[in-house]
Amino acid sequence: MIPIAARRTFVALLTVVVMAAACGDSGGETGDPPESTTTPPAGDSTTTTAATDDTTTTTTTTTTTTTLPEPTGPEPLPLEDIVDLVLAWGDGDGDPLQLAKDITGFPLDIPVPDGTTPHGISVDLFGGDTDATWEWDWSYEVLSTEPMPDIDIRSEEPSPGYVALSDFYDPIMAELGYGRTGTTGSDPGDEGGPHSVNHVYQSDAETLIVNGLEGIPEPIFAWADEEQVFGEGVPGYQVDVPFEFEAGVVPVPLFLTLIENFPALDDASLIDADITSWSRTEDSFDAELGLRYFDVELVWAIGDAEGAPTQVLDELDGTVFVAGSESFFDPGFLEPEEPRINGTEWRQTIVFVNHYEGAVTIDSEDSTLELTIRFEPGRVELQAPAE
């Protein structure tokens, strides 16, 4: 596991491949190339001195090697881009795949059919509390503005919706090196519909480079649902993409930004992380803050739960993270707040990039530190505390 102190380096270590071209007609076994070569690749310079009775021929060769760059991993999401991304998600009319990539780091170019609008995004870390591989699962959902072909999971022949899903995703996944290995149908409501169907795709590759990191591909699921939002009668689609990485690898740019700017605890190890999107109705209490928003959560295991609160307060920089919340009596202004203690829990409210409210919670019984932030598009930039 990687402590927060080493959070600025999340690069998967890969073997540097050194390639050299062979010279002449001699053959050789295929396999990993040697670390160096003494035979000149085509195009190398050669100097020859003509032979005479008193001279010999001298050949000088130049040896070249080619080194492939190591994968560097994703860059942290620039702080100045965050507000625009939250607003774009709140608008709900952007390109669904691009939004998923920008906000969650969705790792593959797997689109959805035309005539769709963004509905949900998520990414989750599994296995963060072990030294084995970490699995990161991405998902994004869309609603369809077009009628969906009928899906009938009890039909003896593939239904129109089944066929349409195949026709759309089979060539896309084949281009990515994945083949279809199975299909599952479901009837989540009353018998007879609405139904859903998902195709399962698997890569034969042992590893793939995604988000600049080496990952182990897991089965991908592409869904079509006659009622994407249960009870609403609106059809839609969903794509689920999981990958396994080395323990400690964080392939999500927004998480890297938070980790980079949050107070570093030398004995802390990331054990959980997720982004989850939500929707609220127009008559909701906080509707003015946006009907579409998302939450972020990061959880670390810590060694010194007693000393952690002091260290967190001492290292909050007062710019990216500020202790406090928006004033209830003076909206648009920051109101500093003191931490609260409830049993074994210490909790400090915070504001991220002068917009988004959240909290730091330290549980001395579980020895964990949790950072939560709610990204709501209706949040305004807070001013300094009112006089």
Side-chain angles (χ1 to χ4, degrees):
M1 302 183 190
I2 293 181
I4 299 179
R7 66 196 188 283
R8 294 180 175 83
T9 306
F10 288 98
V11 180
L13 299 179
L14 299 179
T15 304
V16 176
V17 180
V18 181
M19 304 177 60
C23 176
D25 297 327
S26 60
E29 293 183 356
T30 61
D32 292 334
E35 293 185 0
S36 62
T37 179
T38 58
T39 55
D44 280 359
S45 61
T46 301
T47 302
T48 303
T49 303
T52 66
D53 290 342
D54 299 323
T55 63
T56 59
T57 300
T58 303
T59 301
T60 302
T61 63
T62 302
T63 301
T64 60
T65 59
T66 301
T67 302
L68 298 181
E70 295 182 0
T72 58
E75 294 292 328
L77 183 66
L79 290 169
E80 60 269 22
D81 292 349
I82 291 176
V83 172
D84 287 341
L85 280 180
V86 176
L87 291 172
W89 181 253
D91 289 341
D93 56 5
D95 177 72
L97 173 58
Q98 191 60 52
L99 283 172
K101 293 173 71 172
D102 291 341
I103 297 173
T104 71
F106 191 85
L108 294 177
D109 288 325
I110 306 177
V112 289
D114 293 336
T116 57
T117 59
H119 176 59
I121 48 173
S122 69
V123 59
D124 292 278
L125 167 63
F126 296 94
D129 57 348
T130 71
D131 292 328
T133 56
W134 285 9
E135 180 176 307
W136 291 88
D137 288 6
W138 287 268
S139 179
Y140 80 103
E141 308 171 54
V142 297
L143 301 180
S144 179
T145 59
E146 303 292 336
M148 178 176 289
D150 178 62
I151 300 173
D152 186 353
I153 65 173
R154 294 180 175 82
S155 173
E156 294 183 1
E157 299 294 331
S159 64
Y162 176 107
V163 173
L165 194 68
S166 306
D167 290 346
F168 184 79
Y169 279 110
D170 283 4
I172 291 172
M173 299 308 297
E175 185 72 18
L176 294 172
Y178 284 75
R180 180 148 57 98
T181 59
T183 296
T184 303
S186 63
D187 183 0
D190 297 332
E191 184 174 349
H195 291 170
S196 68
V197 61
N198 72 77
H199 291 331
V200 185
Y201 297 90
Q202 178 64 60
S203 172
D204 290 332
E206 292 186 2
T207 61
L208 295 173
I209 300 300
V210 293
N211 290 0
L213 298 164
E214 186 178 35
I216 301 171
E218 296 292 324
I220 290 175
F221 296 82
W223 297 76
D225 196 326
E226 291 180 318
E227 193 173 55
Q228 183 70 17
V229 180
F230 188 72
E232 295 296 326
V234 181
Y237 301 90
Q238 179 173 326
V239 182
D240 302 332
V241 176
F243 272 91
E244 288 187 8
F245 297 89
E246 290 185 358
V249 167
V250 178
V252 180
L254 178 54
F255 290 159
L256 295 176
T257 300
L258 296 173
I259 292 169
E260 184 178 73
N261 289 280
F262 190 72
L265 304 182
D266 293 335
D267 58 355
S269 298
L270 186 69
I271 59 173
D272 196 12
D274 64 75
I275 296 174
T276 306
S277 64
W278 306 96
S279 298
R280 55 167 67 104
T281 61
E282 294 181 355
D283 59 354
S284 298
F285 179 75
D286 287 330
E288 73 278 2
L289 297 177
L291 304 183
R292 294 163 45 84
Y293 59 98
F294 59 91
D295 288 339
V296 171
E297 177 186 60
L298 294 170
V299 182
W300 291 269
I302 57 177
D304 183 13
E306 298 300 326
T310 299
Q311 186 173 353
V312 168
L313 290 178
D314 287 345
E315 296 186 14
L316 284 176
D317 64 2
T319 55
V320 180
F321 286 98
V322 181
S325 64
E326 184 174 11
S327 172
F328 179 81
F329 297 103
D330 292 303
F333 287 88
L334 175 71
E335 181 176 335
E337 292 185 5
E338 297 294 324
R340 299 179 181 180
I341 298 176
N342 182 16
T344 62
E345 285 192 353
W346 176 93
R347 186 176 188 274
Q348 173 65 63
T349 56
I350 55 94
V351 174
F352 177 61
V353 293
N354 285 333
H355 281 77
Y356 309 110
E357 293 191 350
V360 180
T361 303
I362 297 174
D363 192 317
S364 59
E365 183 177 10
D366 295 338
S367 294
T368 58
L369 184 153
E370 177 183 79
L371 170 65
T372 57
I373 303 173
R374 174 156 291 180
F375 290 87
E376 296 169 302
R379 291 289 179 180
V380 298
E381 183 175 4
L382 299 182
Q383 305 301 311
E387 296 294 338

